[in-house]
Amino acid sequence: MTAVLDPARPPERIAVFRALQLGDMLCSVPAFRALRRAFPQARIALVGLAGAREFVQRFSAYIDELLEFPGISAFPEQAANEAALPEFYRRMRDWRADVAIQLHGSGQQSNPIVEQFGADRWVGFVPRASDEMPGARMLWPDTLPEIERYLALLRYAGLDDANESGLEFPCSEADQAEATRLLDEHSLDPDKIVLIHAGARLASRRWPISRFSAVARGLYQEGWRVALTGTAGERDMVHALRQQAAVPVADLSGRTHLGSMAALVRTSRLLVCNDTGVSHIAAAMKTPSVVVACGSDTRRWAPLDRRRHRVLAAEVPCRPCAYETCPFGHPCALAVSAAEVHAAARAQLQFIERTA
């Protein structure tokens, strides 16, 4: 079978299905970049969540438009609106994709969705070897990192040059100006800033606030200026962290949007966080980080550059975790001590000095 993504017969319209949240979307940027370089004249659409609109705007160099997916009950990323599916599929068929690409997992739930897009041909992962189809359907590579697996799929489908795995995140002058205003407002010296981001969408992915506060206190006592970030919905968590740290730290929770948060990460010396979307922003901005991975599959989600980004994860039998809230007492989180994270932060700050 001829490869679906054959540069000799470039498609005019490409629909890419990936209905996931920010961190997951950032991991797909190298694949979108490879598609754009291979097919510069094609119209490329992301079929994804309504909340991905800013992501599409940020990466307009690679993605032309967002086609909103209404959701199904098997996907937890948004409330499902399955009554809207018939109309969604009609619009997808009217869009007339030459190629559809399934970048949403192993294909168990997502392939039946992509098959209804009406594309002339489609490519994606399949969960069983018996479903493989050379140049089009690739067996799900469970051991590859998230970024690498989608590049592997594109190569399997015919794009031999899909090899560049580096993340990126475009920041505007307005983003940087907003970040600078926040730094000035809190009298924060960029050469001394350590960001601590204690939030994560799932409770099972959050390291204890008491331990984050101990790290914040230790870094402050060593002369670093600590700034706490988080969403507006995480303000109570950040307030508790600040109170427990019992040293002067800046509270920036609810004060940033996606762009200004990325600009803050780029400006800072170090980020300490859970394994969540902001860790991928640090990888994109090449800002050193310490990531506490509670429950997540580190083979899949950890940053590729393990020198610049230190990942601390306890090996427990229940990893990777499928729970929103841990029912077992959170052993993966409790096995990582504040002293370990503090020591890793000091080592990463020294790494910065060595590589400056």
Side-chain angles (χ1 to χ4, degrees):
M1 177 179 176
T2 304
V4 170
L5 296 174
D6 183 357
R9 50 172 190 157
E12 294 183 5
R13 300 171 77 82
I14 302 172
V16 180
F17 181 61
R18 189 169 176 83
L20 296 170
Q21 301 288 346
L22 173 65
D24 305 314
M25 293 309 305
L26 288 175
C27 289
S28 67
V29 167
F32 279 105
R33 183 171 59 224
L35 282 172
R36 175 58 74 204
R37 289 178 178 175
F39 306 115
Q41 304 305 317
R43 184 160 189 84
I44 300 175
L46 168 66
V47 185
L49 305 181
R53 190 160 301 281
E54 183 176 352
F55 173 83
V56 170
Q57 292 168 350
R58 293 267 169 191
F59 291 96
S60 59
Y62 308 141
I63 308 170
D64 296 299
E65 65 178 299
L66 173 68
L67 304 174
E68 293 184 18
F69 173 62
I72 61 173
S73 57
F75 293 167
E77 286 76 19
Q78 68 177 7
N81 181 13
E82 297 191 2
L85 285 173
E87 173 62 18
F88 164 73
Y89 290 132
R90 185 194 65 77
R91 286 188 287 107
M92 287 304 306
R93 289 188 288 270
D94 287 347
W95 198 79
R96 298 186 183 279
D98 298 303
V99 171
I101 303 176
Q102 187 274 100
L103 292 188
H104 190 116
S106 70
Q108 189 75 46
Q109 301 289 344
S110 48
N111 286 346
I113 294 169
V114 174
E115 287 172 344
Q116 296 199 55
F117 288 2
D120 292 340
R121 52 197 189 274
W122 70 274
V123 60
F125 291 114
V126 290
R128 294 172 295 274
S130 59
D131 296 328
E132 280 194 296
M133 185 182 298
R137 316 281 191 269
M138 178 182 177
L139 180 65
W140 175 248
D142 195 48
T143 60
L144 280 181
E146 186 75 355
I147 296 167
E148 297 286 1
R149 69 181 66 195
Y150 298 109
L151 293 173
L153 176 66
L154 297 188
R155 292 193 298 272
Y156 185 85
L159 296 191
D160 294 338
D161 293 334
N163 295 303
E164 188 183 330
S165 59
L167 294 185
E168 59 182 278
F169 189 93
C171 279
S172 67
E173 291 183 5
D175 295 330
Q176 188 58 58
E178 178 63 17
T180 300
R181 186 189 66 75
L182 278 173
L183 297 179
D184 291 344
E185 181 181 322
H186 291 271
S187 301
L188 293 169
D189 178 357
D191 288 336
K192 287 290 185 180
I193 300 173
V194 174
L195 293 183
I196 292 183
H197 190 94
R201 188 171 66 89
L202 300 179
S204 61
R205 301 298 190 265
R206 298 177 201 145
W207 195 50
I209 288 296
S210 60
R211 301 191 182 192
F212 271 118
S213 66
V215 173
R217 183 165 54 251
L219 291 171
Y220 174 82
Q221 290 169 346
E222 291 169 357
W224 298 98
R225 294 299 309 276
V226 177
L228 310 179
T229 58
T231 65
E234 293 168 342
R235 280 176 170 159
D236 288 347
M237 181 191 310
V238 173
H239 178 73
L241 197 166
R242 190 182 187 201
Q243 292 295 106
Q244 290 180 39
V247 293
V249 295
D251 181 355
L252 307 183
S253 60
R255 304 290 305 280
T256 58
H257 54 77
L258 183 57
S260 58
M261 181 65 197
L264 270 177
V265 170
R266 179 174 62 185
T267 301
S268 301
R269 301 299 297 275
L270 180 70
L271 170 71
V272 181
C273 64
N274 296 302
D275 185 5
T276 188
V278 72
S279 70
H280 300 301
I281 291 177
M285 309 314 279
K286 295 181 171 54
T287 297
S289 67
V290 174
V291 180
V292 185
C294 301
S296 59
D297 184 349
T298 54
R299 292 183 309 172
R300 182 174 179 181
W301 297 108
L304 297 180
D305 183 350
R306 292 299 186 91
R307 292 183 67 243
R308 190 178 299 274
H309 308 288
R310 178 80 179 276
V311 178
L312 300 179
E315 293 304 321
V316 293
C318 49
R319 179 187 293 277
C321 173
Y323 292 98
E324 182 168 344
T325 301
C326 177
F328 307 120
H330 222 184
C332 61
L334 297 180
V336 179
S337 70
E340 287 178 274
V341 175
H342 187 190
R346 285 199 304 267
Q348 292 305 86
L349 289 164
Q350 291 169 4
F351 167 81
I352 298 167
E353 298 295 338
R354 291 195 304 271
T355 56

